[in-house]
Amino acid sequence: MQVTNLATTVVDPTLFEPARQLLQSWSLGKYLRTKPPSTVIRLSASDTCGHALRMLATHCITSAPMFDQDSYVGFVDVSDILRALLGAINVWELSDETREYKLRAAGLQLEHLQLRSLQLAQDGALIEKADMQLTLHDILLYGFLRPSAAGYVQVVHRVGVFDSVESATSDDDMASDAPEGLPGIKGCISPDSITHVMSQSDVVQFLCKHASELEPLANTTLKQLGLVPDSARVVCVPAEMSTVNAFATMMANKVSCVGVISHAHGGGLVASLSSSDLLGVQPEHFGVLAMPVLDFLTAKASAGWGAQQHNQQQGLQQQQSQHRQQQHQHYQQQLQQQLQPLAGSAHKWGLKGAEG
């Protein structure tokens, strides 16, 4: 959950009127009926971080609701697992010689760490299926944004829709008046009760699809909307910085994304890194986070990313196998050196069994 100060730039409120009217004309139920059927992925508190990362990568999502038996705990986000990784190592004390080894060791630890051990950012909210008549404007204002009298909003990135076992109210019985706030949660929320998840990305895609209805807002710059103040600070990292250090820089500055600049390109912005870039990297492959961040992003965007991780793992296993063989050969040589004088003594005393 992100806490943000409301913008102080004075903007003509009529710019937003087309968007407000559009969002108020669509109910949550109407919007969800336009979306293709999808399966809501659910995680258990007893699941491991390794299992969670594989599930999220398989379904190309960055979060999923977590339950402890029939008790809803919250949304597990890939950034929660990233924080656990950074907490398992002291990034700023890593050297070029130890970074990859430490990351592999931390990956093995997180592979078996249960999700109940994570400190969740609680980046999600819930609403009842009975409230399908709420407008998208209501969902944005009271689900994604929670304004306070102090001028702050608590921003979440996803809203889950659940069907309460005690909810007997039909969509037709819902009042169409805008609520003072989203209704409270009633009844027991079982893992199967969450039927839909709506994210901020879904809202952006919806607005983009209806961009022609948003004039003149659609042609207004971000700066004109007060979203790019003159004092804005963009956190950037050099392309040569290790990926794990870039992630740590992002977390330390409490931003959701960092820019990647390359001196080879005149110091210009060449890429960006966010916690979602951890998606698709399994704990046993966390050693790749020792790569320079631009190399990591380039490799991850390539078609052979999965094979590259597999090859790296195979290379590591081959190195370990070669190391074991070398140790075994060294042991055999030492043993032969120790047995040579004993074999001579056996021949000297006429003992049997010493001959090969």
Side-chain angles (χ1 to χ4, degrees):
M1 181 181 296
Q2 180 181 357
V3 179
T4 307
N5 195 2
L6 294 174
T8 56
T9 303
V10 178
V11 181
D12 184 1
T14 61
L15 283 174
F16 299 96
E17 191 58 32
R20 184 180 295 106
Q21 291 179 1
L22 173 65
L23 294 170
Q24 289 177 343
S25 67
W26 279 70
S27 69
L28 176 62
K30 178 182 176 181
Y31 167 77
L32 291 178
R33 285 192 294 271
T34 65
K35 292 177 65 67
S38 61
T39 301
V40 176
I41 304 304
R42 306 165 184 89
L43 296 170
S44 170
S46 60
D47 288 335
T48 65
C49 291
H51 173 77
L53 283 176
R54 283 185 286 274
M55 288 292 290
L56 296 177
T58 298
H59 296 275
C60 298
I61 55 177
T62 59
S63 67
M66 181 175 76
F67 293 83
D68 192 348
Q69 296 183 354
D70 282 344
S71 177
Y72 169 74
V73 179
F75 275 83
V76 177
D77 190 277
V78 66
S79 60
D80 298 317
I81 300 177
L82 176 59
R83 275 190 294 271
L85 169 63
L86 296 176
I89 56 177
N90 191 337
V91 174
W92 311 115
E93 292 184 358
L94 298 179
S95 64
D96 292 340
E97 292 75 19
T98 63
R99 185 175 290 109
E100 185 175 353
Y101 168 77
K102 293 286 188 180
L103 284 168
R104 291 201 305 266
L108 293 175
Q109 178 183 346
L110 287 179
E111 171 66 41
H112 304 288
L113 181 69
Q114 291 189 346
L115 295 178
R116 59 166 45 93
S117 301
L118 298 180
Q119 293 185 348
L120 304 184
Q122 298 299 336
D123 193 1
L126 290 180
I127 61 171
E128 284 192 85
K129 188 177 180 180
D131 301 319
M132 285 291 196
Q133 289 300 319
L134 291 175
T135 68
L136 293 185
H137 183 267
D138 297 330
I139 301 301
L140 261 64
L141 183 59
Y142 299 104
F144 290 100
L145 308 176
R146 299 179 182 180
S148 68
Y152 289 87
V153 292
Q154 294 180 332
V155 183
V156 297
H157 287 83
R158 69 236 359 133
V159 173
V161 180
F162 75 97
D163 195 359
S164 173
V165 296
E166 293 185 3
S167 176
T169 308
S170 66
D171 291 351
D172 296 335
D173 295 332
M174 288 299 299
S176 59
D177 294 336
E180 292 298 328
L182 289 179
I185 297 175
K186 304 187 293 292
C188 178
I189 305 177
S190 66
D192 293 333
S193 64
I194 294 186
T195 58
H196 302 85
V197 175
M198 184 179 181
S199 68
Q200 285 189 10
S201 297
D202 292 326
V203 178
V204 172
Q205 290 174 5
F206 172 81
L207 293 174
C208 183
K209 184 178 179 180
H210 296 84
S212 61
E213 304 175 44
L214 302 180
E215 301 295 346
L217 178 63
N219 292 322
T220 306
T221 66
L222 295 178
K223 188 170 185 179
Q224 289 172 331
L225 293 176
L227 299 178
V228 187
D230 295 334
S231 59
R233 182 173 62 95
V234 178
V235 180
C236 293
V237 297
E240 301 79 15
M241 176 182 282
S242 71
T243 304
V244 68
N245 282 72
F247 275 133
T249 301
M250 180 184 73
M251 289 294 185
N253 285 274
K254 298 181 180 180
V255 293
S256 59
C257 179
V258 292
V260 179
I261 57 176
S262 172
H263 296 295
H265 295 80
L269 183 69
V270 294
S272 63
L273 178 79
S274 68
S275 57
S276 63
D277 287 307
L278 187 65
L279 200 64
V281 183
Q282 302 309 316
E284 64 266 28
H285 299 139
F286 275 0
V288 301
L289 301 180
M291 296 172 60
V293 60
L294 185 57
D295 292 347
F296 167 79
L297 292 172
T298 302
K300 195 169 185 290
S302 66
W305 168 246
Q308 182 173 342
Q309 290 188 89
H310 179 70
N311 292 338
Q312 186 195 41
Q313 183 68 16
Q314 280 190 328
L316 175 61
Q317 292 174 348
Q318 290 175 356
Q319 290 177 2
Q320 292 173 339
S321 177
Q322 292 174 356
H323 180 65
R324 287 193 295 267
Q325 290 178 359
Q326 291 174 354
Q327 285 184 320
H328 179 71
Q329 292 174 355
H330 181 65
Y331 170 76
Q332 290 292 335
Q333 291 174 354
Q334 288 184 325
L335 184 61
Q336 289 177 359
Q337 291 174 357
Q338 293 174 356
L339 289 178
Q340 283 178 354
L342 295 178
S345 299
H347 282 294
K348 178 179 180 181
W349 293 100
L351 298 177
K352 296 182 179 180
E355 298 178 358

